[in-house]
Amino acid sequence: MRTVSDSELPESVWESEHFRLHPLSEGVYAAIATEMGAAFSNAGLIDMGERTLVYDAFENPQPAEDLLEASIQLTGRKPTTVIISHCHPDHWGGLQVFADCSILATSATRQAMLPIAKEMEQEQRDPSGLEKDLQATEARLAAETDPRQRQALEISVHRQRNNLLTLQSIKPTLPNQTSDGKIVFHGTARSVELIPTGKGHTESNCILQLPKERIAFIGDLGFFQQQPFMPYGFSPEWIALLNNLANGKAKTFVPGHGPLGRKADLLLEAQYIQAMENMIQQVIQRGGTAKDALRETLPPPFDAWQKIGHRYDANVRSSFKRQSQHTD
Ligand SMILES: [Zn+2]
């Protein structure tokens, strides 16, 4: 099986500095974040025939404004329903743009968003913590010589700077409707299914499936061609979900991060999570520390992924902590 390369992405039909909209079927668009925009995660735009649905709302209001504009231009109307895949704020920081919509999430996701929204308001009152984080990343960039690490750090600096610039413009907005069961939206053009999947990347995640078009928007259950972010995850459940999705009917998957993917991308991601857990288990079994684990290398192709960004460290440390507690 092969993974999808960028050259295989359907050509974008609408672009902003924050994302590109790729048509997956007539009226179904994947919004794939650009590296140096302010979206920082992918989203979806779906024309139901008589109304328009959005899946996830980016990290900031500006890309969400662009998605609203794209909705008007491509579907002839504003969205009326927004679905939030999970609680991480890079998927709902722009939600205020859709405040007049039905905003749906699972009850656990909404619950987990409450303290994050409070934290955002606290940061608006006192941004010194964010400023310190930015200075630390800038210092790491200044000292780094490896070109790939520098590239990852440049993206982090850009993201942290942007978040400080836009901080005061964000009005943390929460889902106004929750559901813990499947919902089927019936439109004149198509039907789509909102499916809560339980534990995986976080405590609660939900995906959007288009059965007829064989497309699934999977939020952060999917990180393609890059390391998944595991600190808030439940590895066995996540791996099982990825395998189930790969064995299901959908053929095209829109991840929360990275390009569009196929079943092979899901399986590769499941293998990464397992390889990470196995590596940590081996380090613990021979009496090693988290620092020892950080010096380890994952087998190919994951060794190439781990060089990029801070996620490797975060994954190693969180898995080490979790597994050490288990063996105590
Ligand atoms: Zn996430």
Side-chain angles (χ1 to χ4, degrees):
M1 277 197 287
R2 63 206 180 92
T3 56
V4 179
S5 71
D6 281 353
S7 59
E8 289 176 88
L9 274 175
E11 228 164 272
S12 71
V13 290
W14 203 93
E15 292 186 5
S16 90
E17 62 174 305
H18 306 296
F19 61 84
R20 295 191 178 93
L21 276 183
H22 301 272
L24 307 180
S25 182
E26 203 189 329
V28 182
Y29 306 92
I32 304 294
T34 55
E35 254 182 11
M36 293 306 246
F40 296 112
S41 64
N42 300 332
L45 180 69
I46 300 162
D47 187 348
M48 299 294 293
E50 75 302 337
R51 64 172 160 159
T52 300
L53 225 101
V54 159
Y55 180 77
D56 275 348
F58 306 123
E59 181 156 76
N60 283 288
Q62 315 100 299
E65 292 278 3
D66 287 354
L67 192 61
L68 177 65
E69 182 58 34
S71 174
I72 293 166
Q73 286 183 23
L74 294 172
T75 74
R77 65 184 92 81
K78 292 180 176 181
T80 50
T81 306
V82 180
I83 292 140
I84 297 301
S85 64
H86 69 295
C87 63
H88 288 160
D90 54 332
H91 295 259
W92 58 270
L95 203 42
Q96 69 203 56
V97 171
F98 303 113
D100 57 349
C101 294
S102 292
I103 305 172
L104 277 140
T106 66
S107 54
T109 290
R110 188 180 187 282
Q111 193 61 33
M113 288 165 73
L114 296 172
I116 299 172
K118 282 253 171 334
E119 200 181 313
M120 282 180 184
E121 285 160 358
Q122 175 55 34
E123 283 168 348
Q124 285 174 331
R125 286 190 292 273
D126 176 14
S128 60
L130 293 181
E131 283 160 4
K132 262 193 190 159
D133 290 348
L134 170 61
Q135 283 158 10
T137 315
E138 283 172 336
R140 281 178 62 204
L141 174 61
E144 184 59 61
T145 52
D146 179 279
R148 293 181 70 185
Q149 289 288 3
R150 282 191 62 82
Q151 198 189 0
L153 285 166
E154 274 161 13
I155 293 170
S156 294
V157 165
H158 165 75
R159 180 179 186 178
Q160 288 173 297
R161 272 189 197 146
N162 186 71
N163 285 347
L164 264 171
L165 277 173
T166 57
L167 183 62
Q168 302 304 339
S169 70
I170 292 186
K171 294 187 200 99
T173 303
L174 295 168
N176 49 32
Q177 215 172 322
T178 56
S179 173
D180 298 316
K182 176 173 162 178
I183 298 178
V184 185
F185 300 94
H186 298 282
T188 51
R190 58 178 41 90
S191 291
V192 309
E193 301 173 348
L194 165 61
I195 303 171
T197 56
K199 287 178 177 170
H201 165 69
T202 56
E203 178 80 33
S204 181
N205 304 267
C206 70
I207 65 169
L208 202 62
Q209 291 214 113
L210 285 66
K212 209 170 119 232
E213 294 84 352
R214 302 181 77 178
I215 295 164
F217 291 83
I218 62 172
D220 277 5
L221 293 175
F223 283 75
F224 293 160
Q225 296 179 31
Q226 60 189 285
Q227 300 170 79
F229 184 58
M230 294 168 58
Y232 303 94
F234 298 82
S235 295
E237 290 87 347
W238 194 351
I239 291 169
L241 279 172
L242 289 167
N243 287 327
N244 282 345
L245 284 166
N247 290 325
K249 291 215 169 89
K251 280 174 75 178
T252 303
F253 300 90
V254 184
H257 299 271
L260 294 176
R262 299 198 198 285
K263 292 181 181 194
D265 295 280
L266 297 169
L267 297 175
L268 201 59
E269 187 187 341
Q271 285 165 21
Y272 170 99
I273 297 169
Q274 192 61 62
M276 172 61 79
E277 297 293 4
N278 291 349
M279 185 271 278
I280 299 295
Q281 191 184 26
Q282 284 159 15
V283 171
I284 290 173
Q285 276 169 358
R286 52 171 201 263
T289 63
K291 274 198 173 150
D292 295 327
L294 282 170
R295 283 192 285 270
E296 292 286 322
T297 308
L298 291 175
F302 312 123
D303 55 340
W305 293 3
Q306 84 182 53
K307 291 195 182 69
I308 308 168
H310 65 283
R311 278 192 209 140
Y312 183 75
D313 284 24
N315 290 348
V316 166
R317 288 182 199 282
S318 61
S319 174
F320 191 92
K321 198 172 166 196
R322 224 169 25 238
Q323 292 201 43
S324 311
Q325 282 162 351
H326 276 212
T327 52
D328 276 351

